[in-house]
Short mmCIF file of all heavy atoms in Angstrom, two decimals:
data_model
loop_
_atom_site.label_atom_id
_atom_site.label_comp_id
_atom_site.label_asym_id
_atom_site.label_seq_id
_atom_site.Cartn_x
_atom_site.Cartn_y
_atom_site.Cartn_z
N PHE A 11 98.29 102.88 59.37
CA PHE A 11 99.19 102.19 58.45
C PHE A 11 99.11 100.71 58.70
O PHE A 11 99.11 100.31 59.94
CB PHE A 11 100.66 102.70 58.49
CG PHE A 11 100.82 104.01 58.02
CD1 PHE A 11 99.82 105.03 57.79
CD2 PHE A 11 102.12 104.52 57.76
CE1 PHE A 11 100.02 106.29 57.23
CE2 PHE A 11 102.37 105.80 57.34
CZ PHE A 11 101.36 106.61 57.15
N THR A 12 99.20 99.89 57.63
CA THR A 12 99.32 98.42 57.89
C THR A 12 100.34 97.96 56.89
O THR A 12 100.47 98.24 55.78
CB THR A 12 97.93 97.73 57.47
OG1 THR A 12 96.91 98.39 58.25
CG2 THR A 12 98.12 96.34 57.66
N ILE A 13 101.31 97.15 57.39
CA ILE A 13 102.25 96.41 56.62
C ILE A 13 102.00 95.07 56.41
O ILE A 13 101.37 94.42 57.22
CB ILE A 13 103.65 96.56 57.44
CG1 ILE A 13 104.81 96.16 56.43
CG2 ILE A 13 103.68 95.87 58.83
CD1 ILE A 13 106.17 96.50 56.98
N SER A 14 102.28 94.67 55.24
CA SER A 14 101.91 93.20 54.86
C SER A 14 103.06 92.69 53.81
O SER A 14 103.71 93.61 53.40
CB SER A 14 100.53 93.05 54.43
OG SER A 14 100.31 93.79 53.10
N ARG A 15 102.89 91.42 53.61
CA ARG A 15 103.92 90.92 52.57
C ARG A 15 103.38 89.84 51.81
O ARG A 15 102.39 89.04 52.38
CB ARG A 15 105.10 90.46 53.27
CG ARG A 15 105.11 89.31 54.34
CD ARG A 15 106.42 89.20 55.13
NE ARG A 15 107.47 88.86 54.30
CZ ARG A 15 108.87 89.16 54.59
NH1 ARG A 15 109.06 89.76 55.91
NH2 ARG A 15 109.78 88.92 53.69
N ASP A 16 103.78 89.68 50.64
CA ASP A 16 103.38 88.49 49.75
C ASP A 16 104.73 87.93 49.35
O ASP A 16 105.21 88.37 48.37
CB ASP A 16 102.66 88.99 48.62
CG ASP A 16 102.00 87.85 47.73
OD1 ASP A 16 102.64 86.74 47.85
OD2 ASP A 16 100.93 88.09 47.09
N ASN A 17 105.14 86.93 50.12
CA ASN A 17 106.47 86.22 49.68
C ASN A 17 106.49 85.60 48.33
O ASN A 17 107.47 85.53 47.68
CB ASN A 17 106.86 85.27 50.76
CG ASN A 17 107.33 85.98 51.91
OD1 ASN A 17 107.48 87.21 52.01
ND2 ASN A 17 107.52 85.24 53.04
N ALA A 18 105.27 85.19 47.81
CA ALA A 18 105.20 84.60 46.49
C ALA A 18 105.41 85.61 45.41
O ALA A 18 105.98 85.33 44.33
CB ALA A 18 103.79 84.02 46.30
N LYS A 19 105.10 86.92 45.77
CA LYS A 19 105.39 88.03 44.86
C LYS A 19 106.61 88.72 45.19
O LYS A 19 107.00 89.64 44.42
CB LYS A 19 104.27 88.98 44.84
CG LYS A 19 102.92 88.35 44.15
CD LYS A 19 101.82 89.34 44.08
CE LYS A 19 100.51 88.76 43.59
NZ LYS A 19 99.47 89.69 43.51
N ASN A 20 107.36 88.22 46.32
CA ASN A 20 108.49 88.87 46.59
C ASN A 20 108.46 90.37 46.93
O ASN A 20 109.24 91.20 46.57
CB ASN A 20 109.71 88.64 45.61
CG ASN A 20 111.02 88.35 46.28
OD1 ASN A 20 111.22 87.95 47.37
ND2 ASN A 20 112.13 88.59 45.46
N THR A 21 107.31 90.72 47.50
CA THR A 21 106.92 92.15 47.63
C THR A 21 106.39 92.53 49.04
O THR A 21 105.66 91.59 49.56
CB THR A 21 105.75 92.71 46.59
OG1 THR A 21 106.40 92.27 45.37
CG2 THR A 21 105.53 94.08 46.76
N VAL A 22 106.64 93.60 49.66
CA VAL A 22 106.09 93.92 50.85
C VAL A 22 105.20 95.37 50.66
O VAL A 22 105.67 96.02 49.73
CB VAL A 22 107.22 94.29 51.91
CG1 VAL A 22 106.68 94.80 53.14
CG2 VAL A 22 107.97 92.91 52.23
N TYR A 23 104.13 95.41 51.38
CA TYR A 23 103.23 96.46 51.08
C TYR A 23 103.15 97.40 52.39
O TYR A 23 103.31 96.91 53.47
CB TYR A 23 101.91 96.07 50.67
CG TYR A 23 101.92 95.18 49.52
CD1 TYR A 23 101.91 93.75 49.67
CD2 TYR A 23 102.02 95.66 48.19
CE1 TYR A 23 101.86 92.93 48.57
CE2 TYR A 23 102.00 94.94 47.14
CZ TYR A 23 102.08 93.47 47.26
OH TYR A 23 101.92 92.64 46.19
N LEU A 24 102.86 98.74 52.22
CA LEU A 24 102.55 99.43 53.23
C LEU A 24 101.23 100.34 52.87
O LEU A 24 101.28 101.15 51.91
CB LEU A 24 103.67 100.62 53.60
CG LEU A 24 103.42 101.43 54.73
CD1 LEU A 24 103.41 100.53 55.95
CD2 LEU A 24 104.47 102.51 54.88
N GLN A 25 100.14 99.85 53.43
CA GLN A 25 98.86 100.61 53.28
C GLN A 25 98.69 101.69 54.23
O GLN A 25 98.92 101.49 55.36
CB GLN A 25 97.70 99.58 53.49
CG GLN A 25 96.42 100.20 53.22
CD GLN A 25 96.01 100.56 51.76
OE1 GLN A 25 96.37 99.73 50.85
NE2 GLN A 25 95.47 101.76 51.58
N MET A 26 98.58 102.75 53.58
CA MET A 26 98.59 104.17 54.39
C MET A 26 97.11 104.74 54.22
O MET A 26 96.75 105.23 53.10
CB MET A 26 99.72 105.08 54.04
CG MET A 26 100.96 104.47 54.00
SD MET A 26 102.31 105.75 53.69
CE MET A 26 101.96 106.11 51.96
N ASN A 27 96.44 104.85 55.30
CA ASN A 27 95.07 105.44 55.28
C ASN A 27 95.01 106.71 56.20
O ASN A 27 96.01 106.93 57.01
CB ASN A 27 94.02 104.45 55.87
CG ASN A 27 93.97 103.22 54.96
OD1 ASN A 27 94.04 103.22 53.74
ND2 ASN A 27 93.67 101.98 55.47
N SER A 28 94.08 107.47 56.09
CA SER A 28 93.88 108.63 56.87
C SER A 28 95.14 109.41 57.02
O SER A 28 95.60 109.86 58.03
CB SER A 28 93.42 108.19 58.27
OG SER A 28 92.21 107.48 58.29
N LEU A 29 95.83 109.69 55.67
CA LEU A 29 97.00 110.42 55.66
C LEU A 29 96.84 111.85 56.14
O LEU A 29 95.94 112.58 56.03
CB LEU A 29 97.60 110.35 54.33
CG LEU A 29 98.06 108.98 53.88
CD1 LEU A 29 98.33 108.90 52.28
CD2 LEU A 29 99.53 108.79 54.51
N LYS A 30 97.97 112.33 56.71
CA LYS A 30 97.98 113.68 57.30
C LYS A 30 99.23 114.39 56.68
O LYS A 30 100.19 113.73 56.15
CB LYS A 30 98.26 113.59 58.80
CG LYS A 30 97.28 112.71 59.60
CD LYS A 30 97.69 112.75 61.07
CE LYS A 30 96.66 111.77 61.86
NZ LYS A 30 97.05 111.72 63.25
N PRO A 31 99.18 115.60 56.67
CA PRO A 31 100.32 116.43 56.10
C PRO A 31 101.67 116.08 56.68
O PRO A 31 102.64 116.04 56.12
CB PRO A 31 99.86 117.93 56.44
CG PRO A 31 98.41 117.99 56.52
CD PRO A 31 98.05 116.52 57.06
N GLU A 32 101.71 115.67 57.95
CA GLU A 32 102.94 115.38 58.62
C GLU A 32 103.48 113.88 58.15
O GLU A 32 104.59 113.54 58.66
CB GLU A 32 102.78 115.34 60.29
CG GLU A 32 101.54 114.60 60.72
CD GLU A 32 100.32 115.43 60.99
OE1 GLU A 32 99.98 116.33 60.16
OE2 GLU A 32 99.80 115.25 61.98
N ASP A 33 102.70 113.25 57.40
CA ASP A 33 103.11 112.04 56.81
C ASP A 33 104.05 112.26 55.63
O ASP A 33 104.63 111.38 55.00
CB ASP A 33 101.90 111.11 56.42
CG ASP A 33 101.27 110.71 57.71
OD1 ASP A 33 101.85 110.27 58.64
OD2 ASP A 33 99.96 110.59 57.62
N THR A 34 104.07 113.53 55.06
CA THR A 34 104.85 113.86 53.96
C THR A 34 106.30 113.59 54.19
O THR A 34 106.88 113.94 55.15
CB THR A 34 104.63 115.25 53.56
OG1 THR A 34 103.32 115.59 53.21
CG2 THR A 34 105.49 115.73 52.47
N ALA A 35 106.87 112.72 53.30
CA ALA A 35 108.25 112.40 53.45
C ALA A 35 108.74 111.47 52.32
O ALA A 35 107.86 111.05 51.48
CB ALA A 35 108.42 111.55 54.81
N ILE A 36 109.88 111.23 52.22
CA ILE A 36 110.46 110.10 51.33
C ILE A 36 110.32 108.83 52.04
O ILE A 36 110.91 108.70 53.35
CB ILE A 36 111.72 110.37 50.79
CG1 ILE A 36 111.78 111.72 49.96
CG2 ILE A 36 112.25 109.19 49.79
CD1 ILE A 36 113.24 112.10 49.59
N TYR A 37 109.77 107.79 51.46
CA TYR A 37 109.58 106.62 52.17
C TYR A 37 110.50 105.51 51.56
O TYR A 37 110.67 105.32 50.28
CB TYR A 37 108.11 106.03 51.99
CG TYR A 37 107.23 106.85 52.98
CD1 TYR A 37 106.84 108.09 52.77
CD2 TYR A 37 106.66 106.17 54.13
CE1 TYR A 37 105.97 108.77 53.63
CE2 TYR A 37 105.77 106.80 54.96
CZ TYR A 37 105.40 108.18 54.80
OH TYR A 37 104.75 108.76 55.60
N TYR A 38 111.25 104.87 52.55
CA TYR A 38 112.22 103.76 52.03
C TYR A 38 111.74 102.44 52.66
O TYR A 38 111.39 102.44 53.79
CB TYR A 38 113.56 104.18 52.54
CG TYR A 38 114.13 105.46 52.06
CD1 TYR A 38 114.02 106.72 52.82
CD2 TYR A 38 114.89 105.58 50.91
CE1 TYR A 38 114.37 107.87 52.39
CE2 TYR A 38 115.35 106.76 50.51
CZ TYR A 38 115.15 108.03 51.21
OH TYR A 38 115.62 109.27 50.74
N CYS A 39 112.04 101.39 51.80
CA CYS A 39 112.04 100.15 52.43
C CYS A 39 113.45 99.57 52.63
O CYS A 39 114.31 99.95 51.91
CB CYS A 39 111.22 99.11 51.59
SG CYS A 39 111.52 98.68 50.04
N ALA A 40 113.72 98.76 53.48
CA ALA A 40 114.95 98.02 53.86
C ALA A 40 114.76 96.57 54.16
O ALA A 40 113.78 96.17 54.67
CB ALA A 40 115.58 98.85 54.95
N ALA A 41 115.77 95.82 54.00
CA ALA A 41 115.71 94.41 54.25
C ALA A 41 116.98 93.95 55.12
O ALA A 41 118.05 94.41 54.77
CB ALA A 41 115.61 93.56 52.99
N VAL A 42 116.83 92.92 56.04
CA VAL A 42 117.79 92.44 56.73
C VAL A 42 117.52 90.99 57.03
O VAL A 42 116.35 90.65 57.35
CB VAL A 42 118.07 93.25 58.10
CG1 VAL A 42 116.84 93.19 59.01
CG2 VAL A 42 119.39 92.83 58.79
N PRO A 43 118.54 90.14 57.08
CA PRO A 43 118.13 88.75 57.30
C PRO A 43 117.52 88.49 58.78
O PRO A 43 117.80 89.15 59.63
CB PRO A 43 119.54 88.08 57.21
CG PRO A 43 120.37 88.93 56.37
CD PRO A 43 119.88 90.24 56.62
N ASN A 44 116.58 87.63 58.79
CA ASN A 44 115.86 87.23 60.08
C ASN A 44 116.75 86.30 60.87
O ASN A 44 116.77 85.11 60.53
CB ASN A 44 114.54 86.69 59.65
CG ASN A 44 113.87 86.43 61.00
OD1 ASN A 44 114.01 87.09 61.96
ND2 ASN A 44 112.92 85.48 61.07
N LEU A 45 117.57 86.77 61.79
CA LEU A 45 118.49 85.80 62.62
C LEU A 45 117.79 85.58 63.89
O LEU A 45 117.08 86.50 64.48
CB LEU A 45 119.73 86.67 62.84
CG LEU A 45 120.52 86.90 61.60
CD1 LEU A 45 121.90 87.60 62.00
CD2 LEU A 45 120.82 85.75 60.77
N LYS A 46 117.98 84.40 64.44
CA LYS A 46 117.24 84.02 65.68
C LYS A 46 117.61 84.93 66.87
O LYS A 46 116.76 84.98 67.66
CB LYS A 46 117.70 82.55 65.96
CG LYS A 46 117.03 81.61 65.06
CD LYS A 46 117.34 80.08 65.37
CE LYS A 46 116.74 79.10 64.52
NZ LYS A 46 117.01 77.71 64.90
N ASN A 47 118.69 85.61 67.13
CA ASN A 47 118.98 86.35 68.15
C ASN A 47 118.50 87.63 68.06
O ASN A 47 118.57 88.47 69.01
CB ASN A 47 120.52 86.25 68.48
CG ASN A 47 121.22 87.01 67.20
OD1 ASN A 47 120.72 87.17 66.03
ND2 ASN A 47 122.46 87.31 67.44
N ARG A 48 117.79 88.10 67.06
CA ARG A 48 117.19 89.39 66.94
C ARG A 48 115.99 89.51 67.77
O ARG A 48 115.02 88.65 67.75
CB ARG A 48 116.87 89.75 65.52
CG ARG A 48 118.05 89.89 64.61
CD ARG A 48 117.72 90.49 63.21
NE ARG A 48 118.71 90.31 62.18
CZ ARG A 48 119.75 91.15 62.14
NH1 ARG A 48 119.86 92.22 62.91
NH2 ARG A 48 120.67 90.98 61.13
N VAL A 49 115.67 90.69 68.42
CA VAL A 49 114.55 90.87 69.01
C VAL A 49 113.66 91.75 68.16
O VAL A 49 114.06 92.98 67.86
CB VAL A 49 114.77 91.69 70.36
CG1 VAL A 49 113.51 92.00 71.10
CG2 VAL A 49 115.69 90.91 71.32
N PHE A 50 112.63 91.22 67.73
CA PHE A 50 111.76 91.93 66.73
C PHE A 50 111.20 93.26 67.19
O PHE A 50 111.23 94.16 66.34
CB PHE A 50 110.56 90.91 66.34
CG PHE A 50 109.79 91.65 65.25
CD1 PHE A 50 110.14 91.54 63.86
CD2 PHE A 50 108.55 92.27 65.48
CE1 PHE A 50 109.54 92.27 62.84
CE2 PHE A 50 107.77 92.87 64.45
CZ PHE A 50 108.32 92.80 63.09
N ALA A 51 111.04 93.48 68.46
CA ALA A 51 110.58 94.70 68.85
C ALA A 51 111.60 95.84 68.72
O ALA A 51 111.21 96.99 68.69
CB ALA A 51 110.34 94.62 70.41
N LEU A 52 112.76 95.44 68.37
CA LEU A 52 113.83 96.49 68.06
C LEU A 52 114.10 96.56 66.56
O LEU A 52 115.20 97.06 66.18
CB LEU A 52 115.12 96.01 68.87
CG LEU A 52 115.08 95.89 70.30
CD1 LEU A 52 116.48 95.47 70.85
CD2 LEU A 52 114.60 97.31 70.91
N CYS A 53 113.10 96.23 65.82
CA CYS A 53 113.48 96.08 64.39
C CYS A 53 113.68 97.61 63.74
O CYS A 53 114.46 97.56 62.70
CB CYS A 53 112.20 95.57 63.64
SG CYS A 53 110.71 96.43 63.90
N PHE A 54 113.19 98.71 64.37
CA PHE A 54 113.60 99.94 63.70
C PHE A 54 115.11 100.24 64.00
O PHE A 54 115.67 101.02 63.33
CB PHE A 54 112.78 100.98 64.47
CG PHE A 54 111.33 101.02 64.12
CD1 PHE A 54 110.33 101.59 65.02
CD2 PHE A 54 110.84 100.41 62.90
CE1 PHE A 54 109.09 101.62 64.69
CE2 PHE A 54 109.46 100.41 62.59
CZ PHE A 54 108.67 100.95 63.45
N SER A 55 115.72 99.51 64.94
CA SER A 55 117.25 99.74 65.27
C SER A 55 118.14 98.83 64.51
O SER A 55 119.40 98.90 64.64
CB SER A 55 117.40 99.59 66.81
OG SER A 55 116.59 100.68 67.52
N TYR A 56 117.60 97.76 63.68
CA TYR A 56 118.49 96.85 63.03
C TYR A 56 119.41 97.70 62.01
O TYR A 56 118.97 98.67 61.56
CB TYR A 56 117.63 95.83 62.17
CG TYR A 56 116.88 94.91 63.03
CD1 TYR A 56 115.99 93.99 62.38
CD2 TYR A 56 116.84 94.76 64.40
CE1 TYR A 56 115.07 93.07 63.16
CE2 TYR A 56 116.21 93.83 65.09
CZ TYR A 56 115.25 93.10 64.42
OH TYR A 56 114.53 92.10 65.06
#
């Protein structure tokens, strides 16, 4: 999988290749303001 963004189009993409049955799910996107004190490595926990 590769995540990318085009801020000019106000859109974020998720390119998913070599998909497996275990990738079956409902996929959601979410947004949170980028604050300086955030540790990016913890982005799944925001």
Side-chain angles (χ1 to χ4, degrees):
F11 289 14
T12 303
I13 188 170
S14 63
R15 65 192 300 156
D16 186 340
N17 284 350
K19 294 183 178 180
N20 220 23
T21 301
V22 174
Y23 305 98
L24 185 67
Q25 178 67 44
M26 305 187 298
N27 299 327
S28 303
L29 283 161
K30 304 176 180 180
E32 52 264 42
D33 294 318
T34 295
I36 300 175
Y37 284 71
Y38 301 90
C39 65
V42 66
N44 183 29
L45 302 180
K46 289 185 178 180
N47 61 342
R48 295 189 191 277
V49 177
F50 183 75
L52 302 177
C53 61
F54 292 156
S55 302
Y56 292 173

